[in-house]
Every structure is written in structure tokens, then in C-alpha cells.
Amino acid sequence: MAAPHTVLLLLLPLLALPPRAGGELRAFVVAHSHMDVGWVYTVQESMHAYAANVYTTVIEELMKGKQRKFIAVEQEFFRLWWDSVATDTQKQQVHQLLQEGRLEFVIGGQVMHDEAVTLIDDQILQLTEGHGFLYETFGSRPQFSWHVDPFGASATTPTLFALAGFNAHLISRIDYDLKDGMQKNKKLQFVWQGSPSLSARQEIFTHVMDQYSYCTPSQLPFSNRSGFFWNGLATFPDPPKDGVYPNMSLPVTDANLHLYAQTMVANIKERAAWFRTGEVLWPWGCDKQFFNASVQYSNMDLLVDYINKHSAEFGVTVQYATVSDYFQAIYSRNLTWEIRDSQDFLPYSTEEEGQNCFFKVQQLSDYSCIIDHFQSLVLTIIILTAKVQHHDGITGTESPKVKDMYMNNLMYGMLNVKKLMASIIFDINNAKKNGEVYSSVYTTGSGKPGATDVDQYVVVYNPLAWNITTFVTVSVSNEEMSVYDELGQSVPAQVQSSVESQSTYDLYILVTISGLSYRKYSIKPQDGKQSAFIGSSVKYKRRDLTRADQQSRQLFPVVNNCYQIVFDQNTNLMHSITVRETNQTVQFTQEFLEYHVNGDTKKGPISDNYIFAPNASAVPVSKAVGLEVMSGSLMTEIRQYFYSNVTSQDYIYAVFTRLYSVPEGYDEKLLCHRIEQEYSVGPLELNREAVLRTSTNLNTRQLLYTDNNGYQMQKRPFKAYVNNTVARNYYPMVQTAYIEDDNTRLMLLAERAHGVSSQGNGQVEVMLHRRIWNNLQWNLNNNLTLNDSSVVRPVIWLILGTKAVTNTLYRTSGLALEHRPVVMFGALSGKQKQGDADFSRVLLRIRHLYEVGEDPVLSQPVMVDLKSLLQGLGSVVTVEERSLTGTWDVNTLERWRWKTTQYPGKSSELMNFADRILVLDVCLMCEASLTTEGVLSRDQELTHPVT
């Protein structure tokens, strides 16, 4: 996706540029087409309009000229072309071009994933899927990135690419002020140590594209048409029948050949001034280009030949190139490069007005479960999930019809995963009604099942690799219910009136389940035996905040074994939280606010899908608060309703805070220490951006910490800017954020990505919802406004305590929130079906949860006994360590080692794998027996086995 608000810069005349000292410049012309997997048009529309023609015509033209080259980036469109369009001859030609190095796959993932709001697991999944296809089909293993369009750059991505075996990394979209300074000081290239734990062991050379980014300069000083886009612009829904596309560049002729050459050379020299060497990366292409590669190459051939014949005059030589050609030339220079530490390039700001790219993140769910005879189904689900990680997918910057495409794909995937899981657990042939189990399957992230009066079986699956004790929720039509486990033993449960429906009740069941296992529970109407505890309700009078007496407080506590939360009856707001273990009390208040934003381009900067540009500070939106407390033996739920005034009938905002009490004999560590909050926000008024601000008396010095992709933490000091300080201090929270003082830390754990900021000392605010409309013609033409009138229900868990205590809790708690139990229910009969997986080979990925030095105990190396871990699948026969995506044996993988200021004398050495995420290719046999152990010092997380 090209930048929606890019200011095009005029090319400088050739004579205005001084000659470069040190001899002739060497320009590497990298032909490419940026093909968004979504954005304005659906994948199907793009394939029909242009994408299929890109590969058909490029392959044809590459075969006509040995000097011609091309790079292919995302696999989504290529795989569709390969599977449904390419002929046998074209497939043979692709193999030949790859062998000759004239066609190169870079990145190689299914998509070019977003870096700000995606989880590390999903990044690895989509990258592994694409790499697996390339390796199995061509024996090809990408070694360079081309991450030119994601909105900002995370420090996780260079780490993953290094672990996947890449030799160099290329990015583009970073803060405009920062890029400007790096250009002026020739610091757009460096060695990035993305992980503070891995540091030099998994560093990677990184190239930041200059201000022209990945597109060819589009203005010609001698023409009013675009430059170097001889095939013009793609048209939708159909290619033009006459073959004449809009805005086709002037064909190269004898009359304009020298003018074209002057323009290209001027741009090459301008770019060369921003880099240390005489090698210049010159991207040739942009969005939706090369759908007619014949006209592209036939014109560029003339230009390349002309410049090279007059290289003495121009001081430049030009060659078609791949990304590897360019980086090989830089590497052979054997220069010493500066090191960048694990700091990321977020947030992303694009213009002098200081507008900050910000995203409305869709709530998207993905599942991965493998069984042999469902392999084709699972592959489809993985591809659908991978597609959503696209930088115009999960970010919410796509058009409505593309959003519908993503959501339909995910709903299809979710439904089929539920069918798959149900078929594993249940013998559906003996069910009373075939298909009944499917219609009843649900997850906690997709709503509760409909209430029923009949006896129900509830099957709860734990997707985590460790034992859990938690609550699951089921809707029932009767408050007098009993719950039993497989042995007929009574299970602790609590039932209470539902927030969502006056005719149903919410049944909270306390479950304890081993890792990667499931248990079955039966729910029955009360039969005289022990029943679920019935929660009682106390409703408090709605309070007018404008008339609340701040001097005279009426406080009441809500208590469990870990916290005492105090509310003020004068305002119905939270007043303070006491950590019972240390008796530390923190003043604690929460309020909803809205940023008012402009939608009229004539009145100043606007907010839209991409940009957050508030007019001023956020303003409170509620003048009255209602309160209801549901109390029970297992849980207390505080329901707060926020109204625009005392007489309002409907609320736009609500908070449902849950505090759990766990009976003796159950593990209460995680449950007791989390304050669970669910919010209801919307529908908003137009051009409003809604936040929840939490204010404390912690002396945080306005310092915020947020995570990169659920992988590592980043320090976010508040910075003052000339323009748009509020927005430029918003950062992505994919899973975790926290504020702290010298003694106490407040952690926020999220089940979806949010924007988060600290706009004041002791404060943290979370962006929960946006409703935007504007009259920018570009947005209107592409239907990229965000007039979202929905109601959202995000969940955030709060953990308050000492740094030591919160450290022990937040990693496992974050994963527990991300991977909540999957609940399947139905009125079923028949026996459980035994799992019949037949794994002979699995790819096992293990990740240490803690950074080096993050915790004195939890950061220590961990011993993993593979024999014990995999005993349910068979006996371990052989173990081979692999690269991140499984395509390299690490014993044969040798990465380039770039000379750095830290290690200036090691430029000639090749870099071998060391301390990292551990990826193992494990072969198993039932009759074999072998004890194998692995040692980790960074990165543990057991993923589902993959064949």
C-alpha cells in the first residue's frame, strides 16, 4: 500500500547535484510489484484485475532477456498463480529462473505481516507456511527481507528473520523526523541487535529505505505523466479491453531517451548522497505494477543500455538486480557498521503535521490443531489465518469489503477447527443428532452458547502446555444448576444474572485441566444435590459526578485473598486497590474519555484509518455512573455503567470488573492475582476516539513500557514534540503494558492489540474504539473511512504488586489470556473418541518466556526432557535442530557476519546459530526408546506439533 498522504518531492536537475567523490556510482535496479493481500480490493479481485498477469508476463519477459531480473515477495498471489494459472512450461521456467538467480523470493512469507500489532506466534506461522511451500516446491530458502510497507518497524522482526537464516533486513516506514536525520548523517544502514537476550548472536544488517521508499519516483520534469510506470495503473474490476491503462508513462524514444536518463541519474545521485557506499538500491515498481512486464522491460532496457554507454558522462552504471545482488555488493565492501540495540521504530509518524499512524485492530482468532487425515483442511486454515496478518489486514486499514473477506475466511476457519476438535473428542456417529456438536461448539472469544434446559456436556480443552486452573462461562436458562466432572464429583460453580440478557444466566465453572488436554463436565438442573452457588445482586443509586461530594466519601471494599478493591458510593467509581500481601495501597481511578478529531480537510489535519490526529486533549464523556455488585463465593463482579447525564436511558460505556476467590485445594496463583475487566464501548458519535484512562498515585515519571509482539518489552519515555505530541506518544500494546514506581508495578494484559499511552504521571490510557469519517478524496475514492458504529467488548487483565511478584505472573498470565480454554458443549450421548494421531515426525518449537536479566530466577536456562514431553506421541529416535521456519539444518546454515563497531575484526567470519528460540525436527517411533534433553536460555513456548 502506497502512503495515502505522501508528499511527492520534485526531482532535482542533474546539474544541481555535485559529483560524488570516490568514483562511479553503481545503481541496482530492483524490479518488483507491491501486491497487497487485501487493502482496497479483495484477493480475488486483485488476481483478476492484475496479480495473475504480473507473474505470467514477468516470467515471459525474464526468459527473453538474460540481463533482466525480478523479486517476488508475498506468497499469497504467487501460490494462487502457481496452483490455478501457471502452465507446465511456465513452472519449468520458474525453476530455471530461480536456478539462474534472475527470479528471487524475498521474505517468503504468505504475506508481508504487520509489525506493530501482530503476535510473534502468528508472525512465525505465516512465515513458516510460506517458507515451507518454497522449500518443498523449489528447494528455495529466502535469505533477505523486503519489509517495505508495514507501519513502523518492531525489534521482533529482525530477530525472527535472523533466526530464519536471513543475511540482511530491509525496512522503510519509520518516523519521518528520524528518517530525515538518518539520511542527512548517512546512518540508514546499521547492524540491528533486535533481541536484548540474543544481541550479537542473532544480529542482522538492516537497510532503511530513503524518503522515496519502495516506489520509483513518480514525477518527470519533462512530462505530466508518471515516471517509469510504462504499463500505467491497474484498473478494476477488469483490465481495459484495448490494453490502454491510465497514466502510462511516455514510451522511451530517441527524442526523450536522454531526458529519461538525466532524470534517473539525478535520482540515483540524490539517493547516493544518503548512503556510505557507491552502491545505490533503486527500487523499480510500486503498488500493482508489472501487470504488463513487456512494456516495462522493453522501455527500461533502452534506458539501462543508454546510461551504461554514457557512464563516463553520467558517472553512473546501471544493472538489473535482485535484493541479494545489492546486499552482496555491500557485504563485499567489508565496512564497519554501527550497532543499533533492541529499540524499535515505533510509533510511525508520516508528516510534518505530526500525524501518527494508528490502527483499529480487528478481533481475530486463530487456531492450529493437526491430525493426519485432516491435513488438507488444516493447511487451508493456516493459510487463511496467515493472510490476516497482512499489514492492511489485522490493522483495520482495509476497505469494508476486504474486512468482510478476512472475517469470512476466519469464520470458515473457526468453524472447521471446531468441527475438527469435536470429531477428535466425540464419537459423532453415536450422537443423538449428527452435526449437533458442531452447532454447539464455541470458544470464550466468540460468545457464549445459547441457553438450554436439557442436560449438557461441556468439554473444555486447554491449548496451553501447562496445567491451568480457571473459570469458563456457559449461558443457562435456570439459576438452579449443578455441575459434575467425569467421575460424578461436584465441581465448584457460580451462577448469576447475565449482563447480556435478562432471560438467561451466566454459569461460571471452575476447571482444572492438564496441558494440551481436555475434560468433560455435565451441567444439570438442580437435583437435590449440591448446586452451583447463586450470586446475589446489590444495586446502587446512579450518581451525578458533577455534584459528587469529594470531601465526604462513602467507601466499601471488595476483597479476595490477593486484593482489596475499594469503591466510592458517592461517585460509584473505583477509589483504591490494596495489595494484601504487602499491605500496599495504590490510589486508583478509572474514567472514559474521548478525543475529538477533525473530519474536514479544509479545517486542518484529519484522523482516518491510518492516522490519529486529535484536536486537543481527551475530554470526559460521562456525567453519571450506575453501579451493581454481584457477590458470590467464587467471584464478585462489579458492573459500572457510564451515562452522558443522570437522566440518560442508555449507556455507551460500561466496565465489568471480576475478582475471583478460589476454594482450598485449587491453585489460585493466577486467578487470585488478576483483576479481570471487560469493557463495553459504543456506538460512538462520529469522529470520536474512545479511551479508558487509569490514574494512580504511582510516581512513574510518565514512563511507560509496552511489548513488541508479545515477545519483548520496550521502554517508552514521554516525549514532547512541536506537532501532535499526544498521538506521537501512543504505542502499540499487543499483549502487555505497564507503569511502575520504585516499588510497585501496574500491569495490563490484553487479548487483542490496542494503542496505549501515558499522558500524565501515574497514568496509563488504552484506546478501545474509534469511529471516524472524513472528506479526504483519497479515502472516499477507496472507501477507506472508518465509520464504525459497532459495540466492542475488549478484555484486559490487571495485575498490581511488587516488581518481583508481577514478573512471575505476567508472562504465563498473558499467554493464558491469549489462549483461553476452548469450550465445546451440546446435549450428547455416546462415548468419547480416542485420539488417533499418528505422528512420526514433528516440528517442535520451544521458547523461553523471559529475557536475560529480566528475573533472577525465571531468566535462568531451562532443561527440557524431550522423552517425557513427547511420550504421548511415541519414543524419540532422532532430534535435529532447525532454523525458525524449519527449512535449514542449523549445522549447515552459515549466515553472513557483518563487521561492527562492537566486533571490528570479525568481518570475514560466518555467523552460526547460538542461543535462541529452539526449533527441533523430531522423529518418533513407538518401539524405540531414547532420552534426549535440550537446554534453553531464551524463549520457551511449546507450540502444537506440526507434521
Side-chain angles (χ1 to χ4, degrees):
M1 180 212 68
H5 308 296
T6 300
V7 179
L8 297 177
L9 303 177
L10 291 174
L11 294 175
L12 300 175
L14 176 61
L15 297 179
L17 292 170
R20 180 184 177 89
E24 192 174 79
L25 298 177
R26 185 181 174 195
F28 292 75
V29 178
V30 177
H32 75 99
S33 180
H34 185 71
M35 297 186 283
D36 286 298
V37 183
W39 188 34
V40 177
Y41 300 100
T42 66
V43 169
Q44 293 74 20
E45 288 175 320
S46 295
M47 275 295 291
H48 175 72
Y50 81 94
N53 286 336
V54 170
Y55 291 110
T56 297
T57 63
V58 163
I59 298 305
E60 180 181 356
E61 292 305 310
L62 292 182
M63 296 302 296
K64 292 179 180 179
K66 289 292 185 180
Q67 80 282 12
R68 296 173 175 177
K69 297 187 177 184
F70 190 83
I71 63 168
V73 187
E74 304 90 346
Q75 289 305 300
E76 176 71 19
F77 288 116
F78 179 81
R79 290 178 72 168
L80 289 172
W81 176 80
W82 182 264
D83 291 338
S84 60
V85 177
T87 64
D88 289 341
T89 298
Q90 289 168 331
K91 291 182 177 181
Q92 293 172 3
Q93 291 171 340
V94 169
H95 280 277
Q96 177 184 337
L97 292 168
L98 288 170
Q99 288 292 325
E100 295 174 355
R102 296 196 292 117
L103 175 66
E104 180 178 60
F105 291 110
V106 293
I107 302 179
Q110 194 67 16
V111 299
M112 187 185 298
H113 69 252
D114 182 71
E115 298 195 36
V117 298
T118 49
L119 279 162
I120 182 175
D121 296 338
D122 297 324
Q123 293 179 2
I124 295 172
L125 177 71
Q126 74 87 21
L127 195 65
T128 301
E129 178 55 36
H131 283 196
F133 166 76
L134 292 177
Y135 187 67
E136 292 172 3
T137 309
F138 307 109
S140 177
R141 294 178 285 205
Q143 297 182 55
F144 302 93
S145 90
W146 183 265
H147 245 229
V148 297
D149 205 28
F151 310 104
S154 164
T156 302
T157 303
T159 302
L160 295 189
F161 286 165
L163 292 170
F166 285 21
N167 288 313
H169 179 38
L170 188 148
I171 62 176
S172 182
R173 294 189 184 275
I174 65 173
D175 181 273
Y176 72 98
D177 276 336
L178 185 58
K179 177 177 281 193
D180 182 62
M182 294 171 74
Q183 278 189 176
K184 291 177 180 177
N185 296 300
K186 297 185 179 182
K187 294 183 181 296
L188 291 171
Q189 294 172 320
F190 48 87
V191 171
W192 197 352
Q193 296 181 353
S195 167
S197 295
L198 302 177
S199 59
R201 291 187 290 274
Q202 292 303 338
E203 65 192 14
I204 190 168
F205 181 82
T206 302
H207 174 106
V208 182
M209 283 188 161
D210 56 51
Q211 66 190 38
Y212 291 102
S213 193
Y214 63 85
C215 290
T216 309
S218 60
Q219 291 184 330
L220 297 174
F222 57 89
S223 170
N224 60 359
R225 300 191 196 177
S226 65
F228 309 97
F229 300 148
W230 291 285
N231 56 196
L233 303 177
T235 61
F236 289 79
D238 303 301
K241 294 181 179 180
D242 59 4
V244 178
Y245 286 81
N247 205 22
M248 297 174 71
S249 300
L250 287 173
V252 176
T253 64
D254 291 342
N256 63 24
L257 179 56
H258 188 74
L259 295 174
Y260 258 117
Q262 283 185 315
T263 302
M264 184 172 179
V265 169
N267 185 255
I268 291 170
K269 289 187 174 180
E270 183 183 12
R271 286 175 148 163
W274 299 325
F275 294 89
R276 293 177 59 193
T277 75
E279 289 77 27
V280 179
L281 177 63
W282 203 78
W284 175 34
C286 198
D287 291 39
K288 309 177 187 69
Q289 284 295 303
F290 282 86
F291 49 83
N292 184 350
S294 174
V295 68
Q296 289 284 88
Y297 281 109
S298 62
N299 281 278
M300 184 58 83
D301 283 349
L302 299 173
L303 190 51
V304 168
D305 290 342
Y306 183 81
I307 293 175
N308 288 336
K309 287 178 181 178
H310 297 83
S311 60
E313 171 189 349
F314 291 124
V316 172
T317 61
V318 181
Q319 66 185 77
Y320 290 116
T322 61
V323 175
S324 63
D325 292 333
Y326 172 73
F327 280 123
Q328 180 66 62
I330 300 298
Y331 184 65
S332 65
R333 287 274 190 169
N334 201 25
L335 299 178
T336 299
W337 300 95
E338 290 187 358
I339 290 175
R340 181 179 180 85
D341 62 15
S342 58
Q343 187 63 40
D344 60 15
F345 290 97
L346 293 166
Y348 169 52
S349 300
T350 60
E351 295 184 355
E352 291 184 0
E353 289 82 358
Q355 297 171 340
N356 182 72
C357 277
F358 190 74
F359 317 105
K360 173 184 171 59
V361 182
Q362 309 292 342
Q363 184 179 13
L364 305 172
S365 300
D366 67 282
Y367 304 91
S368 177
C369 185
I370 304 296
I371 193 168
D372 51 346
H373 55 277
F374 282 107
Q375 191 166 0
S376 61
L377 170 62
V378 171
L379 176 61
T380 301
I381 295 168
I382 290 175
I383 292 176
L384 294 176
T385 302
K387 189 183 301 184
V388 181
Q389 310 311 314
H390 172 60
H391 55 271
D392 282 309
I394 194 170
T395 55
T397 54
E398 71 277 4
S399 66
K401 64 180 177 182
V402 175
K403 181 190 74 173
D404 292 341
M405 175 195 74
Y406 290 133
M407 295 305 295
N408 289 338
N409 287 343
L410 285 178
M411 292 303 295
Y412 170 83
M414 290 167 64
L415 175 62
N416 281 283
V417 166
K418 294 167 185 175
K419 289 182 178 180
L420 176 58
M421 295 186 70
S423 69
I424 295 171
I425 295 173
F426 298 112
D427 183 0
I428 59 175
N429 293 324
N430 293 329
K432 291 181 179 179
K433 293 183 179 179
N434 188 27
E436 183 176 359
V437 65
Y438 297 158
S439 64
S440 300
V441 176
Y442 84 107
T443 70
T444 54
S446 60
K448 306 181 188 72
T452 177
D453 290 316
V454 300
D455 293 359
Q456 299 179 56
Y457 285 113
V458 175
V459 178
V460 185
Y461 172 71
N462 172 20
L464 293 169
W466 55 81
N467 300 348
I468 62 169
T469 299
T470 190
F471 282 93
V472 296
T473 312
V474 177
S475 287
V476 294
S477 58
N478 190 333
E479 67 177 358
E480 295 182 346
M481 306 295 293
S482 299
V483 182
Y484 303 95
D485 63 16
E486 302 97 326
L487 301 177
Q489 301 295 318
S490 180
V491 176
Q494 179 172 318
V495 64
Q496 60 192 39
S497 62
S498 173
V499 171
E500 300 177 9
S501 171
Q502 295 182 353
S503 60
T504 61
Y505 299 88
D506 292 338
L507 177 63
Y508 289 82
I509 306 171
L510 182 62
V511 298
T512 298
I513 310 174
S514 300
L516 300 176
S517 302
Y518 66 89
R519 292 191 66 182
K520 186 173 73 171
Y521 301 88
S522 59
I523 303 173
K524 302 178 179 180
Q526 185 175 357
D527 54 6
K529 299 180 182 180
Q530 183 176 352
S531 62
F533 188 92
I534 299 175
S536 60
S537 170
V538 177
K539 293 184 179 180
Y540 294 83
K541 180 181 178 181
R542 187 184 302 185
R543 295 297 184 179
D544 186 343
L545 298 180
T546 63
R547 298 183 178 182
D549 185 355
Q550 300 298 325
Q551 302 301 318
S552 175
R553 300 187 184 278
Q554 293 182 293
L555 306 178
F556 71 91
V558 175
V559 182
N560 72 353
N561 287 339
C562 296
Y563 300 111
Q564 175 180 277
I565 305 178
V566 175
F567 289 83
D568 185 354
Q569 292 184 46
N570 281 342
T571 61
N572 287 340
L573 297 176
M574 196 179 297
H575 172 268
S576 64
I577 301 177
T578 298
V579 181
R580 298 187 65 188
E581 182 179 2
T582 61
N583 204 32
Q584 173 73 27
T585 298
V586 176
Q587 302 301 309
F588 197 100
T589 60
Q590 292 182 309
E591 61 177 337
F592 289 102
L593 302 97
E594 291 177 349
Y595 287 100
H596 294 194
V597 296
N598 174 45
D600 188 347
T601 57
K602 297 179 181 179
K603 296 181 180 180
I606 62 165
S607 275
D608 65 4
N609 283 34
Y610 306 89
I611 290 173
F612 172 43
N615 294 336
S617 299
V619 296
V621 294
S622 303
K623 295 182 179 179
V625 181
L627 180 67
E628 180 183 10
V629 178
M630 300 294 304
S631 300
S633 61
L634 299 180
M635 179 193 65
T636 300
E637 182 177 66
I638 303 97
R639 302 172 178 177
Q640 295 169 285
Y641 304 94
F642 294 76
Y643 300 90
S644 57
N645 57 67
V646 176
T647 60
S648 297
Q649 295 298 312
D650 299 315
Y651 61 87
I652 297 178
Y653 297 93
V655 182
F656 309 105
T657 303
R658 302 179 187 104
L659 201 62
Y660 295 102
S661 298
V662 180
E664 288 189 20
Y666 290 85
D667 182 5
E668 71 168 5
K669 182 177 180 181
L670 296 185
L671 267 177
C672 178
H673 281 91
R674 80 179 186 228
I675 302 171
E676 182 178 304
Q677 290 197 319
E678 181 178 358
Y679 313 101
S680 176
V681 181
L684 301 178
E685 295 182 29
L686 205 57
N687 289 328
R688 298 290 188 268
E689 315 215 24
V691 303
L692 176 75
R693 178 177 293 170
T694 299
S695 301
T696 73
N697 63 343
L698 299 178
N699 183 21
T700 64
R701 302 174 183 86
Q702 218 165 338
L703 179 61
L704 174 69
Y705 296 81
T706 70
D707 68 316
N708 269 169
N709 314 106
Y711 179 64
Q712 59 195 30
M713 300 303 296
Q714 295 278 344
K715 183 184 294 187
R716 311 294 194 185
F718 188 88
K719 299 177 182 179
Y721 295 93
V722 175
N723 300 298
N724 208 10
T725 293
V726 170
R728 295 179 78 176
N729 280 284
Y730 254 87
Y731 297 90
M733 173 182 68
V734 180
Q735 188 179 76
T736 308
Y738 66 83
I739 58 174
E740 64 182 14
D741 63 12
D742 294 338
N743 301 308
T744 305
R745 177 181 292 169
L746 171 64
M747 304 209 70
L748 286 70
L749 303 175
E751 39 81 74
R752 70 182 80 170
H754 296 276
V756 63
S757 182
S758 179
Q759 297 287 327
N761 187 34
Q763 290 183 353
V764 58
E765 67 182 47
V766 181
M767 182 77 73
L768 297 178
H769 202 5
R770 310 176 76 213
R771 186 179 181 185
I772 307 298
W773 186 91
N774 62 81
N775 60 5
L776 183 69
Q777 198 59 48
W778 189 89
N779 283 336
L780 296 175
N781 291 345
N782 293 291
N783 198 15
L784 290 174
T785 59
L786 193 63
N787 189 1
D788 184 350
S789 60
S790 67
V791 176
V792 297
R793 300 291 293 267
V795 173
I796 291 179
W797 292 355
L798 308 176
I799 301 175
L800 183 66
T802 64
K803 296 178 184 180
V805 170
T806 56
N807 251 352
T808 64
L809 297 171
Y810 87 97
R811 290 289 189 181
T812 48
S813 294
L815 288 170
L817 176 56
E818 177 190 345
H819 299 290
R820 284 174 286 182
V822 179
V823 180
M824 293 166 282
F825 92 113
L828 301 173
S829 65
K831 60 183 179 181
Q832 298 179 15
K833 182 179 180 180
Q834 298 300 314
D836 57 355
D838 181 19
F839 298 113
S840 61
R841 189 178 181 188
V842 297
L843 188 68
L844 180 68
R845 188 177 292 116
I846 308 176
R847 176 162 65 93
H848 200 294
L849 297 183
Y850 286 86
E851 295 287 349
V852 168
E854 185 176 1
D855 186 272
V857 176
L858 298 174
S859 294
Q860 295 300 313
V862 176
M863 188 72 71
V864 179
D865 186 338
L866 296 182
K867 178 181 178 181
S868 173
L869 185 67
L870 300 175
Q871 61 182 346
L873 299 179
S875 298
V876 176
V877 177
T878 61
V879 177
E880 181 179 272
E881 189 174 354
R882 309 293 294 183
S883 60
L884 181 71
T885 57
T887 58
W888 287 96
D889 178 347
V890 299
N891 295 314
T892 63
L893 172 60
E894 295 180 329
R895 295 177 56 235
W896 293 353
R897 178 63 185 269
W898 298 78
K899 185 189 295 185
T900 67
T901 53
Q902 184 177 7
Y903 299 107
K906 298 186 178 181
S907 61
S908 62
E909 296 181 17
L910 294 172
M911 186 172 186
N912 295 316
F913 269 46
D915 212 359
R916 60 197 134 344
I917 296 176
L918 187 61
V919 182
L920 303 174
D921 181 2
V922 185
C923 289
L924 301 127
M925 288 184 62
C926 293
E927 63 272 16
S929 179
L930 178 68
T931 300
T932 307
E933 294 181 336
V935 180
L936 302 177
S937 56
R938 168 74 178 103
D939 271 314
Q940 308 54 30
E941 168 194 72
L942 175 66
T943 63
H944 291 282
V946 215
T947 56

